[in-house]
Amino acid sequence: VLNFVLVDTKNALYSGEFHEEELEKSGIKILDCQFAQNSDEGKIKQVLLNLLRNASQAFRSAEKLPQAPQIVLRLRRDGGYVRIEVEDNGPGMDEETRKRVFEPFFTTKAVGVGTGLGLSVSYFIITSHHRGTMSVETAPGRGACFKLSLPIDEAPLARASA
């Protein structure tokens, strides 16, 4: 279930798998969300961890943040889809960066900090493995909001409740 993936992702963040000190330095709080979804939990967890890690790194690399760092995780059902949003109030991206952010090997990080594969792999997982969509809305100084849409397979949910 997606609830398990989100809670497990939160546990991974706090357990040190994500480097707990990164969260503390950024002042990030992670809240529980609930929703059921029959999906490959490990791959969705990988996508969410990557988005949270990128947000934390963006906070730390910013020269100045206008307010306390915050990541908001939204989850809702919309017809036959689960919509997930991971939004931060970090430094955001310019239009050129936004256009290239899902390209393999594209990175804005210093040499040795990132490979430029995290977002491209995440995009592939969502679009190819789960027949979903992934996009980002951002502007310099206005944070970023990554939007994921995953189709719900109603058959397993119906069997589970029968």
Side-chain angles (χ1 to χ4, degrees), residues 24-43:
E24 291 173 5
K25 287 178 188 173
S26 298
I28 297 171
K29 291 183 180 180
I30 306 295
L31 305 175
D32 288 332
C33 295
Q34 294 184 7
F35 199 91
Q37 166 71 12
N38 183 18
S39 186
D40 180 351
E41 295 167 0
K43 294 204 181 303

Side-chain angles (χ1 to χ4, degrees), residues 2 4 16 18 23 25 48-49 55 59 76 80 96 102-103 108 112 131 135 141 143 149 156 161-162:
L2 197 52
F4 170 78
F18 176 76
L23 289 175
K25 287 178 188 173
L48 294 174
L49 276 171
F59 288 137
R76 65 184 168 88
E96 185 61 30
F102 297 119
E103 291 179 14
T108 59
R131 303 175 330 274
S135 63
S149 179
S161 63

Side-chain angles (χ1 to χ4, degrees), residues 53-74:
R53 180 180 297 115
N54 283 357
S56 177
Q57 290 172 339
F59 288 137
R60 288 199 336 264
S61 69
E63 292 179 24
K64 181 181 176 191
L65 292 172
Q67 52 192 322
Q70 181 180 19
I71 297 174
V72 177
L73 182 62
R74 294 183 193 92

Side-chain angles (χ1 to χ4, degrees), residues 66 89-98 137-144:
N89 63 346
M93 297 174 251
D94 60 33
E95 183 62 14
E96 185 61 30
T97 301
R98 187 199 64 78
E137 294 177 2
T138 184
R142 303 196 71 171

